[in-house]
Amino acid sequence: MNWIYEPWPWYIGGPMIALILFLLLMIGKNFGMSSNLRTLCTICGAGNASHFFKFDWKTQRWNLMVILGAIIGGYIGAHFLSNNDAVAIDPTTLSELQEMGFASAGKAYLPLELFDNAIFTKPKTLLLLSIGGLLVGFGARYAGGCTSGHAISGLSNLQRPSLIAVIGFFIGGLLMIHLIFPLLF
Amino acid sequence: MRTLIYLGIGILFGITMYKSEAASWFRIYEMFSFDSFHMYGIIGSALAIGITITQLIKRYNISSFYGEKIHIIPKEKGWKRYLLGGIIFGLGWALAGACPGPMFTLIGAGFLPIFIVIIAAIVGTFLYGLLRNKLPH
């Protein structure tokens, strides 16, 4: 059972995601995480501002339970199932990141330059995380889904709209990393 | 009982996101740099099995565990919203290094700054709700 403490290879992670898709389908639900962000807007009273948020959020309570589980799963994964959290990224990526000033690359799970508690006093980093989150939330709802809803559920159902969305995800990601990152870091 | 099932599936999902490192900013960066097969292997193998499962359920009209018909909602037709929304999502995914599932996993893993990303993502969703009638779909 020692393998469980090591980072899981893709051929365990991928089939596990498919298992989650299968379980959700078999209990009559669909795999899609970003719709929770809309539900959270509705709970906060966004229905008064836009018709888009006027729906009975209780019909989505099941999905909120899934993300609550995802939080607990993150806790279990990090605290009970890992000896060493450093992500062993490819050496080319590693040296690239170190040149850009990410000294924590290869030594941590997330870059401490962006996700250490010290960033709460760094306006630039706070701004970058806010912009990142804003784009994720806006883009996911505009596209009608995120990685789980389009790249997994939608493509599994051979939906052309999901293919277009996933192509969009990649155009956006490549623009960010290859054109915008050199200006930011 | 059903609540516990949803919670259990979420826990499985959270552990998978953390342990497969799909919740790591570094893995997302590496994916968009085309330097490693890891993320492509995860998404590709999930998809290969996912397509098989979904098509089998549809072809053989397999019922849910509760004996009900399984509805897989088709996406609305069109391309503008998918391409434009997709690009915006991709920009954010690469910058924040987290998509809407793993974000929550990272709270559990103890990274407090991810709350900034989550709150901003909720605000982003809200802004979409305000602007959607003015956007091409």
Side-chain angles (χ1 to χ4, degrees), chain B residues 6 8 22 26-27 35-36 51 55 64 66 80 85 91-92 99-100 106 115 122 125 130 136:
Chain B
Y6 304 137
F26 291 122
R27 286 293 187 195
D35 281 336
S36 165
I51 290 174
Q55 299 313 312
S64 76
Y66 307 124
K80 288 188 199 119
L91 288 165
C99 41
L106 291 171
F115 274 110
I122 294 171
T125 305
L130 293 184

Side-chain angles (χ1 to χ4, degrees), chain A residues 33-58 60 64 67 133-134 136-138 140-142, chain B residues 104 117-132:
Chain A
M33 289 295 132
S34 64
S35 44
N36 287 307
L37 298 170
R38 180 185 177 211
T39 310
L40 291 171
C41 283
T42 301
I43 293 174
C44 295
N48 296 325
S50 164
H51 194 70
F52 181 63
F53 299 108
K54 273 199 182 132
F55 73 104
D56 182 12
W57 68 267
K58 292 198 174 86
Q60 281 291 312
L64 294 176
I67 55 165
L134 211 64
V136 166
F138 188 93
R141 212 64 276 120
Y142 190 5
Chain B
F104 291 95
V117 178
I118 293 174
I119 292 165
I122 294 171
V123 173
T125 305
F126 180 66
L127 287 178
Y128 168 75
L130 293 184
L131 298 172
R132 68 193 286 256

